[in-house]
Amino acid sequence: MKVLITGTSQGIGKAIAEEFLHNGHRVYGIDREVSSIEHTDYTHFVCDVRDRDHLPKLDRVEILINNAGTQNEADIDINLKALIHITEIYGVQPDIKSVLNIGSASGHTGAEFPEYCASKGGVMAYTKNVAMRIAPYGATCNSLDPGGVLTPLNECVMNDPELWAQIMEETPLKRWATPQEIAQWAYFLTVVNRFCTGQSILVDGGEAINYHFVWKD
Protein backbone atom coordinates (compact mmCIF):
# COMPACT_ATOMS: atom_id res chain seq x y z
CA MET A 1 0.00 0.00 0.00
CA LYS A 2 0.96 3.63 -0.39
CA VAL A 3 1.94 4.89 3.05
CA LEU A 4 2.69 8.47 4.15
CA ILE A 5 4.44 8.98 7.49
CA THR A 6 5.47 12.28 9.06
CA GLY A 7 8.53 12.66 11.28
CA THR A 8 10.63 9.83 9.85
CA SER A 9 14.17 11.06 10.50
CA GLN A 10 14.52 9.30 13.88
CA GLY A 11 12.77 7.55 16.74
CA ILE A 12 9.24 6.23 16.39
CA GLY A 13 8.67 7.60 12.89
CA LYS A 14 11.79 5.99 11.49
CA ALA A 15 10.91 2.68 13.12
CA ILE A 16 7.39 2.79 11.67
CA ALA A 17 8.74 3.52 8.20
CA GLU A 18 11.17 0.60 8.47
CA GLU A 19 8.37 -1.71 9.65
CA PHE A 20 6.24 -0.90 6.61
CA LEU A 21 9.19 -1.22 4.24
CA HIS A 22 10.04 -4.60 5.74
CA ASN A 23 6.49 -5.70 4.95
CA GLY A 24 6.65 -4.62 1.32
CA HIS A 25 4.83 -1.27 1.31
CA ARG A 26 5.66 1.91 -0.61
CA VAL A 27 6.57 4.54 1.97
CA TYR A 28 6.83 8.33 1.74
CA GLY A 29 8.30 10.30 4.62
CA ILE A 30 8.06 13.97 5.57
CA ASP A 31 10.52 15.49 8.03
CA ARG A 32 12.36 18.79 8.41
CA GLU A 33 15.57 16.74 8.80
CA VAL A 34 17.12 14.34 6.29
CA SER A 35 16.53 10.63 6.76
CA SER A 36 19.08 7.85 6.98
CA ILE A 37 16.61 5.32 5.55
CA GLU A 38 17.98 3.84 2.33
CA HIS A 39 15.45 1.67 0.53
CA THR A 40 14.20 1.50 -3.04
CA ASP A 41 10.59 1.81 -1.84
CA TYR A 42 11.21 4.87 0.35
CA THR A 43 10.95 8.50 -0.74
CA HIS A 44 11.87 11.27 1.68
CA PHE A 45 10.68 14.87 1.56
CA VAL A 46 12.59 17.45 3.60
CA CYS A 47 9.77 19.72 4.73
CA ASP A 48 8.37 21.20 7.92
CA VAL A 49 4.84 19.87 8.44
CA ARG A 50 3.76 23.43 9.25
CA ASP A 51 4.87 24.67 5.82
CA ARG A 52 1.61 24.42 3.91
CA ASP A 53 3.11 25.84 0.71
CA HIS A 54 5.77 23.17 0.31
CA LEU A 55 4.09 19.92 1.29
CA PRO A 56 4.61 17.20 -1.35
CA LYS A 57 1.95 16.63 -3.96
CA LEU A 58 0.85 13.06 -3.34
CA ASP A 59 -2.43 11.48 -4.31
CA ARG A 60 -4.11 8.17 -3.55
CA VAL A 61 -2.51 7.83 -0.11
CA GLU A 62 -3.90 4.67 1.47
CA ILE A 63 -2.36 4.85 4.94
CA LEU A 64 -1.51 8.09 6.73
CA ILE A 65 0.48 8.06 9.96
CA ASN A 66 0.82 11.40 11.74
CA ASN A 67 3.93 10.93 13.84
CA ALA A 68 5.72 14.30 13.65
CA GLY A 69 5.72 16.01 17.01
CA THR A 70 7.67 18.18 19.39
CA GLN A 71 7.91 19.03 23.06
CA ASN A 72 8.29 22.60 24.34
CA GLU A 73 8.57 24.01 20.83
CA ALA A 74 5.36 25.14 19.14
CA ASP A 75 3.51 22.15 20.54
CA ILE A 76 0.06 23.26 19.43
CA ASP A 77 1.25 24.30 15.97
CA ILE A 78 3.13 21.08 15.21
CA ASN A 79 1.42 18.40 17.28
CA LEU A 80 -2.15 19.50 16.55
CA LYS A 81 -2.61 22.19 13.90
CA ALA A 82 -0.15 20.69 11.41
CA LEU A 83 -1.53 17.21 12.08
CA ILE A 84 -5.01 18.44 11.24
CA HIS A 85 -3.85 20.11 8.04
CA ILE A 86 -1.88 17.03 6.91
CA THR A 87 -4.90 14.81 7.56
CA GLU A 88 -7.32 17.06 5.70
CA ILE A 89 -5.00 17.00 2.65
CA TYR A 90 -3.93 13.35 2.53
CA GLY A 91 -6.27 11.43 4.81
CA VAL A 92 -9.84 12.55 4.21
CA GLN A 93 -10.27 11.21 0.69
CA PRO A 94 -11.79 8.12 -0.98
CA ASP A 95 -8.57 6.10 -1.36
CA ILE A 96 -7.73 6.17 2.33
CA LYS A 97 -7.76 2.87 4.22
CA SER A 98 -6.46 4.02 7.60
CA VAL A 99 -5.28 7.10 9.47
CA LEU A 100 -3.21 6.74 12.62
CA ASN A 101 -2.28 9.63 14.88
CA ILE A 102 0.63 9.18 17.27
CA GLY A 103 -0.63 10.76 20.47
CA SER A 104 0.68 10.42 24.00
CA ALA A 105 -0.24 8.96 27.35
CA SER A 106 -0.13 12.58 28.53
CA GLY A 107 -3.27 13.27 26.53
CA HIS A 108 -5.04 10.87 28.88
CA THR A 109 -3.44 11.90 32.17
CA GLY A 110 -2.46 15.55 31.72
CA ALA A 111 0.82 14.70 33.47
CA GLU A 112 3.26 16.73 31.42
CA PHE A 113 3.89 20.24 30.09
CA PRO A 114 0.62 22.21 29.63
CA GLU A 115 0.85 22.92 25.90
CA TYR A 116 2.03 19.40 25.16
CA CYS A 117 -0.85 17.82 27.08
CA ALA A 118 -3.32 20.16 25.37
CA SER A 119 -1.98 19.31 21.93
CA LYS A 120 -2.20 15.57 22.54
CA GLY A 121 -5.66 15.89 24.08
CA GLY A 122 -6.72 17.69 20.93
CA VAL A 123 -5.35 14.82 18.86
CA MET A 124 -7.60 12.41 20.74
CA ALA A 125 -10.71 14.48 20.00
CA TYR A 126 -9.73 15.05 16.35
CA THR A 127 -9.18 11.30 15.94
CA LYS A 128 -12.86 10.68 16.68
CA ASN A 129 -13.86 13.44 14.26
CA VAL A 130 -11.84 11.92 11.42
CA ALA A 131 -13.05 8.40 12.21
CA MET A 132 -16.64 9.48 11.61
CA ARG A 133 -15.78 11.31 8.39
CA ILE A 134 -13.77 8.53 6.73
CA ALA A 135 -16.04 5.69 7.84
CA PRO A 136 -18.06 5.99 4.60
CA TYR A 137 -14.87 4.95 2.76
CA GLY A 138 -14.59 1.84 4.96
CA ALA A 139 -11.50 3.40 6.58
CA THR A 140 -10.40 3.53 10.20
CA CYS A 141 -8.84 6.30 12.27
CA ASN A 142 -7.28 5.74 15.69
CA SER A 143 -4.63 7.30 17.87
CA LEU A 144 -1.74 5.32 19.31
CA ASP A 145 -0.75 6.91 22.60
CA PRO A 146 2.62 5.75 23.97
CA GLY A 147 4.05 6.38 27.38
CA GLY A 148 7.84 6.36 27.67
CA VAL A 149 9.72 5.30 24.54
CA LEU A 150 13.49 4.90 24.15
CA THR A 151 14.08 7.70 21.64
CA PRO A 152 16.73 10.45 21.30
CA LEU A 153 14.22 13.06 22.46
CA ASN A 154 14.04 11.36 25.86
CA GLU A 155 17.77 10.94 26.45
CA CYS A 156 17.90 13.75 29.02
CA VAL A 157 16.04 11.54 31.50
CA MET A 158 17.21 8.18 30.16
CA ASN A 159 20.81 9.20 30.91
CA ASP A 160 20.08 10.59 34.39
CA PRO A 161 20.30 7.67 36.87
CA GLU A 162 18.33 9.41 39.62
CA LEU A 163 15.45 10.49 37.38
CA TRP A 164 15.45 7.16 35.57
CA ALA A 165 15.04 5.35 38.88
CA GLN A 166 12.08 7.58 39.73
CA ILE A 167 10.50 6.94 36.34
CA MET A 168 10.89 3.18 36.72
CA GLU A 169 9.10 3.42 40.08
CA GLU A 170 6.16 4.94 38.20
CA THR A 171 6.19 2.28 35.45
CA PRO A 172 4.75 -1.10 36.55
CA LEU A 173 6.56 -3.05 33.79
CA LYS A 174 9.85 -1.39 34.86
CA ARG A 175 10.91 -0.48 31.34
CA TRP A 176 10.07 1.79 28.44
CA ALA A 177 9.00 0.67 24.99
CA THR A 178 11.39 0.48 22.07
CA PRO A 179 10.49 2.39 18.88
CA GLN A 180 10.17 -0.99 17.17
CA GLU A 181 7.44 -2.07 19.60
CA ILE A 182 5.45 1.08 18.86
CA ALA A 183 5.99 0.48 15.15
CA GLN A 184 4.45 -2.98 15.47
CA TRP A 185 1.38 -1.45 17.11
CA ALA A 186 1.19 1.11 14.29
CA TYR A 187 1.30 -1.62 11.67
CA PHE A 188 -1.39 -3.63 13.41
CA LEU A 189 -3.75 -0.68 13.81
CA THR A 190 -3.46 0.40 10.16
CA VAL A 191 -3.03 -2.84 8.20
CA VAL A 192 -4.34 -5.75 10.26
CA ASN A 193 -7.15 -3.89 12.02
CA ARG A 194 -10.20 -3.15 9.89
CA PHE A 195 -12.90 -2.63 12.53
CA CYS A 196 -11.56 -0.75 15.57
CA THR A 197 -11.96 2.97 14.87
CA GLY A 198 -12.25 6.27 16.72
CA GLN A 199 -10.23 4.88 19.63
CA SER A 200 -7.17 6.11 21.53
CA ILE A 201 -4.97 3.14 22.31
CA LEU A 202 -2.85 3.67 25.42
CA VAL A 203 0.48 1.78 25.30
CA ASP A 204 2.51 2.88 28.33
CA GLY A 205 3.59 -0.14 30.35
CA GLY A 206 0.98 0.77 32.95
CA GLU A 207 2.52 4.18 33.72
CA ALA A 208 -0.84 5.97 33.53
CA ILE A 209 -1.99 4.01 36.56
CA ASN A 210 0.21 6.21 38.76
CA TYR A 211 -0.47 9.66 37.24
CA HIS A 212 2.90 11.02 38.33
CA PHE A 213 5.14 12.74 35.76
CA VAL A 214 8.90 12.79 36.36
CA TRP A 215 11.22 15.00 34.28
CA LYS A 216 14.50 16.87 34.41
CA ASP A 217 14.50 20.45 35.84
Side-chain angles (χ1 to χ4, degrees), residues 4-70:
L4 175 61
I5 306 168
T6 64
T8 52
S9 68
Q10 63 178 351
I12 293 172
K14 181 181 179 183
I16 294 174
E18 291 172 338
E19 179 75 14
F20 275 86
L21 290 167
H22 176 74
N23 285 283
H25 298 272
R26 184 78 177 95
V27 179
Y28 298 83
I30 298 176
D31 199 296
R32 56 186 175 184
E33 304 293 337
V34 298
S35 173
S36 62
I37 297 174
E38 295 183 0
H39 195 287
T40 55
D41 287 329
Y42 180 74
T43 301
H44 189 75
F45 299 97
V46 178
C47 177
D48 191 312
V49 291
R50 294 170 292 182
D51 189 351
R52 301 188 178 196
D53 295 329
H54 295 93
L55 292 172
K57 296 187 183 303
L58 294 172
D59 59 6
R60 305 181 68 86
V61 171
E62 295 170 277
I63 294 176
L64 170 63
I65 299 178
N66 287 304
N67 167 75
T70 189

Side-chain angles (χ1 to χ4, degrees), residues 76-95:
I76 301 293
D77 287 340
I78 294 176
N79 299 351
L80 183 56
K81 289 183 178 179
L83 180 148
I84 291 172
H85 186 68
I86 292 283
T87 304
E88 296 302 320
I89 293 176
Y90 303 110
V92 184
Q93 43 86 16
D95 292 303

Side-chain angles (χ1 to χ4, degrees), residues 4-210:
L4 175 61
I5 306 168
T6 64
T8 52
S9 68
Q10 63 178 351
I12 293 172
K14 181 181 179 183
I16 294 174
E18 291 172 338
E19 179 75 14
F20 275 86
L21 290 167
H22 176 74
N23 285 283
H25 298 272
R26 184 78 177 95
V27 179
Y28 298 83
I30 298 176
D31 199 296
R32 56 186 175 184
E33 304 293 337
V34 298
S35 173
S36 62
I37 297 174
E38 295 183 0
H39 195 287
T40 55
D41 287 329
Y42 180 74
T43 301
H44 189 75
F45 299 97
V46 178
C47 177
D48 191 312
V49 291
R50 294 170 292 182
D51 189 351
R52 301 188 178 196
D53 295 329
H54 295 93
L55 292 172
K57 296 187 183 303
L58 294 172
D59 59 6
R60 305 181 68 86
V61 171
E62 295 170 277
I63 294 176
L64 170 63
I65 299 178
N66 287 304
N67 167 75
T70 189
Q71 193 176 60
N72 279 352
E73 180 201 345
D75 290 1
I76 301 293
D77 287 340
I78 294 176
N79 299 351
L80 183 56
K81 289 183 178 179
L83 180 148
I84 291 172
H85 186 68
I86 292 283
T87 304
E88 296 302 320
I89 293 176
Y90 303 110
V92 184
Q93 43 86 16
D95 292 303
I96 198 68
K97 301 292 188 298
S98 184
V99 174
L100 182 67
N101 299 319
I102 304 300
S104 172
S106 298
H108 296 254
T109 66
E112 203 160 331
F113 309 110
E115 292 84 357
Y116 184 81
C117 292
S119 70
K120 295 302 186 178
V123 168
M124 291 172 60
Y126 180 65
T127 293
K128 298 181 184 298
N129 175 276
V130 174
M132 291 296 295
R133 293 162 58 210
I134 65 176
Y137 306 134
T140 64
C141 178
N142 295 289
S143 72
L144 174 59
D145 304 340
V149 183
L150 300 172
T151 68
L153 291 176
N154 292 323
E155 287 180 350
C156 66
V157 291
M158 290 162 49
N159 296 332
D160 186 312
E162 182 177 348
L163 289 177
W164 188 246
Q166 292 180 51
I167 289 169
M168 288 300 98
E169 284 299 312
E170 299 296 327
T171 309
L173 288 182
K174 304 305 180 188
R175 70 178 184 89
W176 273 5
T178 66
Q180 290 72 30
E181 286 180 294
I182 302 303
Q184 291 168 356
W185 273 96
Y187 192 85
F188 173 79
L189 286 171
T190 55
V191 176
V192 179
N193 166 57
R194 301 304 324 140
F195 195 63
C196 174
T197 193
Q199 303 304 306
S200 297
I201 312 299
L202 184 61
V203 181
D204 71 343
E207 184 179 347
I209 297 169
N210 290 321

